[in-house]
Amino acid sequence: MFNIKVISVFVFGLISIGCYPQQTPGTGVSQSKVYPSERVHLHFNDSFLLAGEYLYYKLYCIDEQTNSLSSLSKIGYVALINSHGEEIFRHKITLENGMGQGDFFVPTSVTSGSYKLLGYTQWMGNLTITDFFQSDVIVVNPYIDNLPKPIALETNSKSQRKDSFRVPRNDLGKKRNEKPTFTLKLSKQKFGVREKVSLLFEGEGNRLDTLHFSVSVRKYESSIKKGKNKIHTFSKSERISPNSPSKEIILPELRGDLISGIVKEASTGQLVKDVKLIVTIPGETYQIRVVSTNENGRFFANFSKSHQLGNLCVQFLDTVSAKRVIEIQDFQIEPDYSKLEFKGFELNPMVRDMLLERSVQNQIENAFYSVKPDTLILPPTKPPFYGTIGEKYVLDDYTRFATVKETVVEILNNVWISKKNGKSFFGLRNLEKTDTDSGFATLVLIDGIPLQDQTNFVDDFDARKIESIRIIRNQYRLGAHIFNGIIDIKTSDQLFLKSFIDSGKGIYPISIPQPKKNYFNQDHSAKESTKRIPDQRRQLLWSPMLRFTGHDVGISFFTSDVTGVFEIVLQGFTNHGTPVSITKTILVE
């Protein structure tokens, strides 16, 4: 039997940057003359979109102090804002080695107009919105007969393209022994419909960095003038520096999704300090934290693992919770969108036929999405926060009982149910205690929800819906709180969790980080199953997570039934922050 008196898990809600003597009040972040800052670049597939199409993007986060891909922030943000300063979407992006990806399907509820695409991290919230990544995006909704005027679609008579991009100086400003050049090679320029296209990405020169890059292949519209999604070396002129000790620094998300909230007195609205709460993201792979409010009545809960359930459970650990209320702040910063500048634009009669053709193609592709799906990249399954210790009871291995009390008495060892003042609660015999009261409460979890009202569960829940029970009889430290062991209960199909969420008690909606995907790449190589399926793709390829490590990288895709000029855009950064951008075109006829 695994025997340990206290297992310590330290969960830091407030994270200090560096080791400086002075702290910015109310933040837990030390005050210094200068903090390292970050910059964000978004590579996205198109700045002109129709309702019914996808906006694909990859986020690159650069640490300005080292001029390399940032290891600081673990969450990035991408938002699309309309000219009225309203959010069309705001996505959380999980960052690994300073990179993340996502997409957005433009619904038919979005009106035609000029939009801004923003990219930033929470740490960049200490700067201004002008320091965020910004790019103009035009959206046209052909299904709504209320196109605003003016609308921006201008004839594009000329287009400039670069076939290669020579890498500039490195982050120290010193020239390399030999400047490496990255190139993208094509076997030919013209292709037929449903023909395979092969690209070869090469690098030449000594001391090549690892290059992380993304590739988009999309139909080029010569009749539309669009802004360029330029890539550049970031300036080091800006730094995060508090002007006074009273300025509150917005914390970087060093370990993952950092969610905060405040606790107030219900009657007066006064903020309450030193209140302990237990915060969980429930579900199959739940996460749990015990946190306390600071001098400003604020608490922070940092969740390092990816989560795909948009619900947060927050409960008090004290006995006066009825007199207090909790407010959750999902996003730490609220950018001032009023400072954004939007470009006007006008409809050009020459593009009407193109819009009609493109909208028909979108409808056909969306109708056949079920046979051309993207697939989710599931995160690795990790054990619960306590690991694999304890004893697990799978109840189907035993005689089933209808009540929780019968199940505890007949199946579980060293567990009992007591009653005090008319309320039922679970008891657990600690490994090193012979008495029945260790002085600490037992942590009872059901589908990742801490069970505070144990009476209703014991009296009313159908035990035949319980799948398994794990018993940990060690004292367990979670944050600054000690529990007399853990009873972890899982119900079939998470029935308890579903009913708890439906009740709404202690549940707060939060945004979900965008899931990683393998994006669909059509294969027409001698596949009979695809011959009868229409292929009206204008986006031939979106591959956001490619890497060059000194060896040539082969990239291939198939053309569709759509003819015309297609633009191949490759963008990326080396480990040392050197930008690389290559654009080529092919003709499909």
Side-chain angles (χ1 to χ4, degrees), residues 116-135:
K116 281 286 186 183
L117 184 65
L118 303 180
Y120 59 95
T121 64
Q122 183 170 292
W123 187 231
M124 291 170 62
N126 294 289
L127 304 173
T128 65
I129 198 170
T130 57
D131 297 300
F132 294 3
F133 172 89
Q134 294 188 26
S135 186

Side-chain angles (χ1 to χ4, degrees), residues 379-549:
T381 302
K382 296 182 179 180
F385 65 96
Y386 51 76
T388 57
I389 63 175
E391 186 175 2
K392 183 177 181 180
Y393 297 83
V394 179
L395 296 196
D396 278 347
D397 296 341
Y398 301 86
T399 301
R400 281 288 193 171
F401 297 94
T403 68
V404 173
K405 186 175 291 187
E406 287 177 305
T407 300
V408 170
V409 171
E410 300 295 338
I411 298 177
L412 303 185
N413 295 321
N414 301 299
V415 178
W416 61 89
I417 294 176
S418 299
K419 205 155 192 175
K420 186 176 181 181
N421 299 326
K423 294 184 178 181
S424 300
F425 59 92
F426 285 85
L428 176 64
R429 181 171 291 105
N430 189 273
L431 281 173
E432 297 189 3
K433 296 287 183 180
T434 56
D435 60 331
T436 59
D437 186 4
S438 67
F440 301 109
T442 300
L443 176 60
V444 182
L445 298 168
I446 305 183
D447 296 339
I449 296 288
L451 186 63
Q452 292 188 321
D453 184 4
Q454 299 180 20
T455 302
N456 285 340
F457 179 77
V458 170
D459 294 345
D460 301 332
F461 194 80
D462 186 349
R464 290 166 296 190
K465 296 178 181 179
I466 297 176
E467 184 179 289
S468 66
I469 302 175
R470 183 179 287 274
I471 308 298
I472 294 92
R473 295 173 56 203
N474 311 98
Q475 285 188 3
Y476 200 97
R477 181 184 295 276
L478 192 58
H481 199 79
I482 296 176
F483 293 96
N484 182 50
I486 302 169
I487 301 175
D488 193 357
I489 303 171
K490 290 188 176 181
T491 65
S492 302
D493 299 321
Q494 300 185 51
L495 292 173
F496 181 86
L497 172 60
K498 293 174 183 176
S499 63
F500 192 90
I501 292 175
D502 290 341
S503 72
K505 186 178 180 180
I507 291 291
Y508 302 85
I510 57 173
S511 56
I512 302 171
Q514 288 288 288
K516 291 185 178 179
K517 294 181 181 180
N518 282 319
Y519 291 98
F520 178 78
N521 191 0
Q522 181 69 64
D523 185 357
H524 284 304
S525 57
K527 283 192 175 182
E528 293 294 330
S529 60
T530 65
K531 289 184 177 180
R532 297 177 61 86
I533 297 175
D535 188 355
Q536 296 294 308
R537 290 175 300 125
R538 302 175 72 88
Q539 183 80 44
L540 300 184
L541 178 70
W542 172 251
S543 188
M545 303 303 266
L546 296 172
R547 188 172 67 166
F548 176 85
T549 57

Side-chain angles (χ1 to χ4, degrees), residues 48 50 140 151-156 221-225 346-358:
F48 176 80
L50 267 63
V140 171
I151 283 194
L153 302 173
E154 300 178 7
T155 302
N156 186 20
E221 303 291 358
S222 60
S223 59
I224 299 173
K225 182 179 180 180
E346 296 179 352
L347 270 179
N348 187 322
M350 296 174 59
V351 305
R352 291 192 177 274
D353 291 341
M354 179 274 293
L355 293 178
L356 177 60
E357 177 188 42
R358 189 161 161 176

Side-chain angles (χ1 to χ4, degrees), residues 120-231:
Y120 59 95
T121 64
Q122 183 170 292
W123 187 231
M124 291 170 62
N126 294 289
L127 304 173
T128 65
I129 198 170
T130 57
D131 297 300
F132 294 3
F133 172 89
Q134 294 188 26
S135 186
D136 294 298
V137 173
I138 296 168
V139 174
V140 171
N141 189 341
Y143 310 109
I144 300 179
D145 189 23
N146 63 340
L147 296 178
K149 296 181 180 181
I151 283 194
L153 302 173
E154 300 178 7
T155 302
N156 186 20
S157 57
K158 296 181 180 180
S159 62
Q160 297 179 349
R161 304 184 182 91
K162 296 180 180 180
D163 289 338
S164 65
F165 182 87
R166 185 168 293 276
V167 179
R169 297 180 179 184
N170 64 11
D171 54 306
L172 298 179
K174 298 178 181 179
K175 292 185 178 180
R176 299 173 183 266
N177 294 334
E178 182 180 343
K179 290 183 179 180
T181 301
F182 295 101
T183 57
L184 193 61
K185 293 184 177 180
L186 284 162
S187 57
K188 57 181 182 178
Q189 294 295 126
K190 295 182 180 180
F191 296 86
V193 297
R194 301 198 177 196
E195 184 178 349
K196 186 176 183 178
V197 180
S198 296
L199 309 174
L200 186 64
F201 182 71
E202 296 179 336
E204 299 176 356
N206 297 330
R207 297 173 59 191
L208 283 173
D209 296 328
T210 297
L211 174 69
H212 304 271
F213 64 99
S214 41
V215 175
S216 174
V217 183
R218 188 169 176 84
K219 177 74 181 293
Y220 176 74
E221 303 291 358
S222 60
S223 59
I224 299 173
K225 182 179 180 180
K226 300 180 292 184
K228 295 292 184 180
N229 183 201
K230 296 180 180 179
I231 189 170

